[in-house]
Amino acid sequence: MSATQVQNTDEKPVFYLKEEHHPENSTMLGFWLYLMSDCLIFAVLFATHGVLGRSYAAGPSPADLFDLNLVAINTAMLLLSSITYGFAMLQMERNAKMETLVWLGITGVFGAAFLGLELYEFYHLILEGAGPTRSAFLSSFFTLVGTHGLHVTFGMIWLITLMVQVRRYGLNPENRRRLMCLSMFWHFLDVIWIGVFSFVYLLGVLG
Amino acid sequence: MSAHPTHESAHDTHHAHSHDDGAGHGSFKGYMTGFVLSIILTAIPFWLVMGGVLDSKLFTAVLVMGFAVVQIVVHMVYFLHMNTRSEGGWTLMALIFTLIIVGIALAGSLWVMHHLNANMMPMTHEMMKNMP
């Protein structure tokens, strides 16, 4: 009894972590699962467009309607906003609050440019009489591209909210987590757009 | 009370550390690599379609979709930092599962609907007139 007591006082207790490291919060995994479910929504809309994309109902075809120059500029806007968000994340790693905000702001400008161009395109299509009610092709086109645009719109609202949050409360762990979630969301929307410009616009114009 | 801020900061550093282990964050070099690759992989399909470079439409279409797939992989790796280690591999598992479902949904829809179209009863002139 006394021997064990002596041993205890001599040796300091050592604790080992035998298990592999577990991420403590599963927010990133959960958000990734959300993105995957969002991916399924887009997959169904792509499938719908694949089925209905050639049903013009004697109306205009993609070659008549789409201006690929505009689509190319739109693509560039979204791609640029992706890389500037990446830069914002790098500044966040460096704990530079002001630089993070600047890059987030630039991301927002590119995002707004993308949305503006898309709305301009939609407006002109509807003005030409090629609205969503014209043919099955245009219904599926407006649903697919509109859903993507709606996602970008909510991404913008989220971005502005987070800019206010970071400005007011700094780069605390909560805001870092939120910025990382939005990063995944934003890059994910860019991935979806690759499918949109390839499958809907380029293949559509190709006929 | 005085112990509280030190505890907070200790928690902060630990928190940041645990994130470094999980999802990769990427570097300036990684983002730029992804960006340059994306520009190239976007420009080529636009050039193929807008310039009418190839005579075969089918071949152009296959190339455009091929470039899209490669670019999606580039985005996943360089922008979304996908790898086999993040979150203990569960993000990759979820992605693979999703891709299987997406493949079934896309291929199944196109296949089934194509056959439905091909096997539709041909419409006569009379039926066309009575259409709503």
Side-chain angles (χ1 to χ4, degrees), chain A residues 28 84-104 162 166 170-184, chain B residues 15-16 19-20 23-26 31 81:
Chain A
M28 290 305 138
T84 54
Y85 200 105
F87 290 156
M89 292 300 284
L90 291 177
Q91 295 299 331
M92 186 194 85
E93 293 288 294
R94 288 182 51 231
N95 246 330
K97 179 181 160 187
M98 213 44 228
E99 284 84 346
T100 309
L101 279 173
V102 168
W103 282 115
L104 286 179
L162 274 187
V166 170
L171 292 167
N172 54 19
E174 289 79 16
N175 279 342
R176 281 169 187 272
R177 192 188 65 225
R178 290 164 187 153
L179 281 171
M180 283 178 68
C181 283
L182 180 58
S183 162
M184 290 165 79
Chain B
H15 192 79
H19 267 305
D20 280 347
H25 279 309
Y31 276 115
H81 312 307

Side-chain angles (χ1 to χ4, degrees), chain A residues 21 23-29 32-33 35-37 39-40 43-44 46-48 50-51 68-69 71-72 75 79-80 82-83 85-87 89-90 92-93 173-174 177 180 183-185 187-188 190-191 194-195 197-199 201-203 205-207, chain B residues 11-12 14-15 17-23 25-28 31-32 35 38-39 41-42 45-46 48-50 57-58 60-62 64-65 67-69 71-72 75-76 79-80 82 87-88 90-92 94-95 98 101-102 105-106 109-110 113 117:
Chain A
H21 173 79
E24 278 140 38
N25 63 52
S26 44
T27 308
M28 290 305 138
L29 181 59
W32 182 257
L33 290 182
L35 287 182
M36 291 300 101
S37 71
C39 193
L40 293 181
V44 173
F46 271 112
T48 310
V51 170
L68 283 186
N69 289 311
V71 181
T75 306
L79 193 56
L80 282 169
S82 237
I83 186 74
Y85 200 105
F87 290 156
M89 292 300 284
L90 291 177
M92 186 194 85
E93 293 288 294
E174 289 79 16
R177 192 188 65 225
M180 283 178 68
S183 162
M184 290 165 79
F185 186 71
H187 292 310
F188 170 75
D190 208 6
V191 170
I194 298 169
F197 81 70
S198 302
F199 188 63
Y201 287 100
L202 290 180
L203 288 198
V205 169
L206 205 62
Chain B
H11 176 73
D12 273 12
H14 181 66
H15 192 79
H17 173 74
S18 71
H19 267 305
D20 280 347
D21 279 348
H25 279 309
S27 56
F28 179 75
Y31 276 115
M32 282 318 281
F35 184 59
S38 301
I39 290 177
L41 291 168
T42 306
F46 268 96
L48 283 177
V49 173
M50 289 170 87
K57 274 187 178 179
L58 181 70
T60 311
V62 170
V64 167
M65 288 322 283
F67 276 112
V69 170
Q71 199 183 344
I72 286 172
H75 273 242
M76 286 280 175
F79 291 163
L80 282 164
M82 273 302 290
E87 305 281 350
W90 283 108
T91 51
L92 191 69
L95 179 66
T98 310
I101 302 287
V102 167
L106 276 176
S109 302
L110 294 176
M113 294 310 284
N117 260 349

